[in-house]
Amino acid sequence: MASSGDTSPVVLVEKLRLSANGRPLVELERWEIPAGERVAIVGPSGSGKTTFLQTLAGLRLADEGRVVVCGRDLARMSEAQRDVFRGRHIGFVHQTLHLVRSLSVLDNLRLAAFVVGNRVADQRLLHLLASVGLEDRANSSTIDLSHGEAQRVAIARALVNEPRLVLADEPTSALDDGNARAILELLLKVAADRGAALVVATHDSRLIGSFDRRLALGVER
Ligand SMILES: Nc1ncnc2c1ncn2[C@@H]1O[C@H](COP(=O)(O)OP(=O)(O)O)[C@@H](O)[C@H]1O
Ligand SMILES: [Mg+2]
């Protein structure tokens, strides 16, 4: 949990400009996410939602401006430093999940800890799997999972290193109404339980009401 005395924002964006193929996508003078806040990034396909999330994660750098996460300016790190920083402080649920297909569910979680040199007891990983409703799937091959189950594994994996920032890119786009609602509620709950800020890119209007705030990109601006 974030300590109650720490009022610094998890994310601070200043004078940010992102563009693709010469077309401006995102311009933000100043934008902050306090600890524990839930933000929806909305906008039509092609409006820059994925690009913006990748920028918050330091997977790409801004054309102009600063992105500061947990007090660290992402542009002032080497690529290797950014990789470790991301692994430790940012959980990313990618749209295409990026699970390692040759590994079991539990090994996918172990790997997330291992790559950043974090030691996490299996007991805690199993507890995490239980929190996403997959306690009986630890030793399953990821190939055998349904899409909804794989989505849950990706969420659990994003939380392994107890990030202060969780980013999810269209986590409900491939799900029907019931499963979309369940996955979103799960994300909101697991982030809240840990005091993590949550940023979800979505064009799913079914879900917008569940967030504290939204940022509209593209034509909805
Ligand atoms: N790797 C890339 N190279 C060039 N253009 C890209 C790349 N990724 C995305 N774009 C362009 O950036 C714009 C925003 O894309 P994206 O961030 O994926 O939007 P969204 O997630 O809202 O659908 C689009 O016009 C897309 O064509
Ligand atoms: Mg996208």
Side-chain angles (χ1 to χ4, degrees):
M1 293 289 278
S3 72
S4 53
D6 181 5
T7 56
S8 61
V10 176
V11 176
L12 168 63
V13 165
E14 283 181 328
K15 301 189 188 317
L16 179 72
R17 289 171 71 92
L18 297 178
S19 58
N21 311 316
R23 186 168 63 92
L25 288 176
V26 181
E27 291 183 14
L28 286 172
E29 188 57 29
R30 187 183 168 91
W31 191 75
E32 287 183 17
I33 309 177
E37 193 165 87
R38 292 95 47 98
V39 184
I41 308 297
V42 299
S45 184
S47 61
K49 300 182 297 298
T50 296
T51 304
F52 185 55
L53 287 188
Q54 288 173 343
T55 306
L56 294 182
L59 287 165
R60 59 199 296 158
L61 294 178
D63 305 305
E64 284 177 36
R66 292 205 313 149
V67 178
V68 180
V69 177
C70 301
R72 298 283 308 275
D73 185 334
L74 297 182
R76 288 172 172 258
M77 299 179 208
S78 70
E79 210 163 310
Q81 286 171 328
R82 258 196 309 278
D83 285 344
V84 172
F85 179 85
R86 181 184 317 113
R88 288 204 170 253
H89 300 291
I90 302 173
F92 203 138
V93 184
H94 292 272
Q95 189 165 14
T96 51
L97 303 186
H98 292 301
L99 298 178
V100 180
R101 310 284 287 172
S102 57
L103 295 180
S104 71
V105 168
L106 182 59
D107 281 343
N108 267 270
L109 268 53
R110 286 175 173 145
L111 183 63
F114 177 78
V115 294
V116 294
N118 192 10
R119 286 168 181 242
V120 183
D122 277 355
Q123 195 186 3
R124 238 178 42 70
L125 297 178
L126 292 169
H127 183 73
L128 186 53
L129 278 177
S131 73
V132 299
L134 290 177
E135 58 274 37
D136 53 348
R137 293 298 241 159
N139 297 312
S140 298
S141 162
T142 50
I143 297 165
D144 296 331
L145 301 175
S146 70
H147 184 77
E149 287 172 331
Q151 187 68 261
R152 288 167 187 271
V153 175
I155 291 170
R157 185 185 54 181
L159 296 166
V160 163
N161 298 311
E162 300 186 359
R164 291 194 62 206
L165 175 63
V166 177
L167 308 172
D169 196 359
E170 309 238 18
T172 61
S173 58
L175 301 173
D176 60 33
D177 282 5
N179 278 313
R181 168 64 46 195
I183 283 291
L184 182 73
E185 281 175 358
L186 177 65
L187 263 170
L188 292 165
K189 180 179 187 313
V190 291
D193 284 350
R194 290 159 179 80
L198 176 67
V199 182
V200 179
T202 182
H203 60 243
D204 194 337
S205 56
R206 298 171 293 185
L207 307 174
I208 299 301
S210 303
F211 293 87
D212 300 316
R213 201 151 57 92
R214 61 174 223 164
L215 173 67
L217 303 181
V219 296
E220 294 185 21
R221 195 157 14 174

